Amino acid sequence: MRSKALPPARAQGHIVPFLEAAALFAALCIFARTAALMLAAAITAPLPMAETLFWLGRQSAQEQPASSVQVEAAPDSTPEAAASSLPQAVQALTGNIEDYLVPLLGEEARPADAGTVIEKNYPQGSGEKYIPCGVGSIKNNTRQTAADIAAEIENPLPFAIEPNSPDPQVLVMHTHATEDYRLSAGLWFAPGDGARSTDCSVNMCAVGRVVADTLNAAGINTLHDETLNDYPSYTGSYANSRAVVQQYLARYPSIKVVLDVHRDAIETESGSRYAPVCTVDGRQAAQVMIICGCDNGTTVQLPGWRQNLRFAAAWERSMEGMYPGFTRPVLFSYRFYNQDLTTGSLLIEIGGHGNNLNEALYAGQLAAKGLAAALLGGA
């Protein structure tokens, strides 16, 4: 403790002892208070520090967007609160997307005839064609009434996933496996870039690999088929992929979910490409869109469409709830896409040909985390 200055004068002897005694008493009080505070701090400081470390560790394990953390928010009303209800297997996922990302071309590689990319975030829909689905939505392009669809999607999944089962539960495959993405970092594409490739490190198989790895890490036994069903001929792709899926189902009757992973292609009349994008945890991802078919009684025969719709709704609720802005509305339409093979058959578009590969790879990981939460009971 620093020394104190002495009184400037000792004019009256009988007062001096009193003043010295008072000064000593005050010094002792100050010293005692400081020491007490220091001791209290030393004892209690580790507690908030430990709590902070625990909170940070939990947040890292959940891999939630930093922007979603809200202090003193109402329970169960924020993404953070929703994350706490996720299955432990999903909260514990620690896979690093950096392990999958690839180097992208810089501006020095841009050719003179490069095309233009326009980034766009597609919002959830509203109006008579759109049915609310959690914080997501379903676009109804059928004659089914909104009330019928709204009632159907409240029903539970028609199947149950067996966590940590030695038997496959999910099959990830690609009818259009050769669809790929642009490899440029900037908002441009070279002719032929983002079209089709037989290289499985850059086409849909690369995205499917991330999806399968993430599901397996969550304890959902998942197979990934990399058959190029659209090569050498695009014609007959769905007949080819149907045969592939049937072979898997015959060999592994435990499979309950079949995911056909594609990418979209959206462009302007002048040939500029749209890239559906959003930002999750500070990183840009491609937006995704689930497509669920419906039976029209004639050309499209899907007797189990209601069960598939329940699945689509559960996945949509999960993804959009975990990552606001990540999904485009579910497209519910008279489409077949081999969705009669199981009651858990869906097609998902991971971005479009305007997105770069890294945005699609990240989206694949996010979509799989949302799916794991839905399948394990966290939706």
Side-chain angles (χ1 to χ4, degrees):
M1 187 174 72
R2 298 174 61 182
S3 61
K4 286 188 171 291
L6 294 174
R10 295 173 179 257
Q12 299 181 8
H14 66 281
I15 297 178
V16 170
F18 175 79
L19 294 176
E20 289 180 341
L24 178 60
F25 177 78
L28 289 173
C29 288
I30 294 172
F31 176 81
R33 181 176 181 274
T34 303
L37 289 174
M38 292 176 64
L39 179 60
I43 293 173
T44 60
L47 294 178
M49 179 176 69
E51 291 175 353
T52 300
L53 289 174
F54 174 76
W55 183 84
L56 289 174
R58 184 181 64 181
Q59 290 300 105
S60 176
Q62 293 172 347
E63 294 191 3
Q64 289 301 298
S67 61
S68 70
V69 178
Q70 299 182 15
V71 180
E72 298 182 358
D76 299 326
S77 64
T78 67
E80 181 185 359
S84 66
S85 66
L86 295 177
Q88 288 187 348
V90 179
Q91 294 187 48
L93 286 174
T94 57
N96 192 345
I97 191 61
E98 299 288 347
D99 295 337
Y100 297 95
L101 302 185
V102 302
L104 298 175
L105 300 174
E107 286 300 307
E108 69 281 357
R110 180 173 184 158
D113 58 348
T116 302
V117 173
I118 304 169
E119 293 182 335
K120 180 176 180 178
N121 180 270
Y122 289 82
Q124 293 300 320
S126 60
E128 62 179 357
K129 270 187 168 290
Y130 293 90
I131 295 90
C133 182
V135 290
S137 60
I138 297 173
K139 183 178 183 180
N140 180 21
N141 280 354
T142 74
R143 294 184 296 274
Q144 302 298 324
T145 66
D148 185 22
I149 294 173
E152 188 60 50
I153 63 177
E154 292 303 315
N155 290 321
L157 291 175
F159 53 80
I161 289 294
E162 299 173 32
N164 303 308
S165 172
D167 301 316
Q169 305 292 300
V170 176
L171 171 64
V172 176
M173 42 73 63
H174 315 278
T175 295
H176 297 155
T178 67
E179 292 175 333
D180 66 3
Y181 301 85
R182 63 183 174 87
L183 298 175
S184 55
L187 297 179
W188 57 271
F189 62 93
D193 189 23
R196 297 188 180 276
S197 174
T198 57
D199 183 352
C200 290
S201 68
V202 300
N203 63 21
M204 296 313 306
C205 295
V207 178
R209 199 172 303 123
V210 177
V211 173
D213 288 352
T214 305
L215 292 175
N216 277 308
I220 300 173
N221 192 331
T222 301
L223 302 178
H224 180 213
D225 182 79
E226 297 190 358
T227 303
L228 304 182
N229 293 296
D230 56 341
Y231 181 81
S233 173
Y234 185 82
T235 303
S237 300
Y238 279 97
N240 295 339
S241 64
R242 184 178 185 84
V244 168
V245 172
Q246 288 175 323
Q247 291 171 10
Y248 274 94
L249 293 177
R251 184 174 180 180
Y252 304 105
S254 57
I255 291 175
K256 302 171 180 69
V257 170
V258 177
L259 304 180
D260 194 353
V261 180
H262 293 243
R263 63 125 171 90
D264 208 345
I266 318 168
E267 57 184 46
T268 67
E269 292 183 359
S270 62
S272 295
R273 297 178 182 176
Y274 283 108
V277 294
C278 66
T279 300
V280 176
D281 199 17
R283 184 188 296 277
Q284 188 154 289
Q287 281 186 293
V288 303
M289 179 177 69
I290 298 170
I291 299 180
C292 181
C294 181
D295 191 317
N296 66 2
T298 54
T299 57
V300 181
Q301 299 290 327
L302 285 176
W305 68 267
R306 290 180 178 274
Q307 288 81 2
N308 282 333
L309 181 59
R310 292 184 211 169
F311 176 33
W315 194 5
E316 169 76 359
R317 280 193 297 264
S318 181
M319 288 192 291
E320 191 63 22
M322 292 169 66
Y323 313 114
F326 178 52
T327 69
R328 297 159 60 189
V330 174
L331 178 58
F332 180 52
S333 184
Y334 293 124
R335 308 194 183 199
F336 186 63
Y337 296 148
N338 295 326
Q339 292 181 3
D340 62 322
L341 295 178
T342 74
T343 56
S345 293
L346 292 175
L347 186 152
I348 185 168
E349 305 270 18
I350 305 288
H353 66 342
N355 292 99
N356 68 49
L357 178 57
N358 286 345
E359 292 168 344
L361 294 171
Y362 186 36
Q365 184 185 66
L366 299 175
K369 288 182 178 181
L371 178 58
L375 295 179
L376 296 175

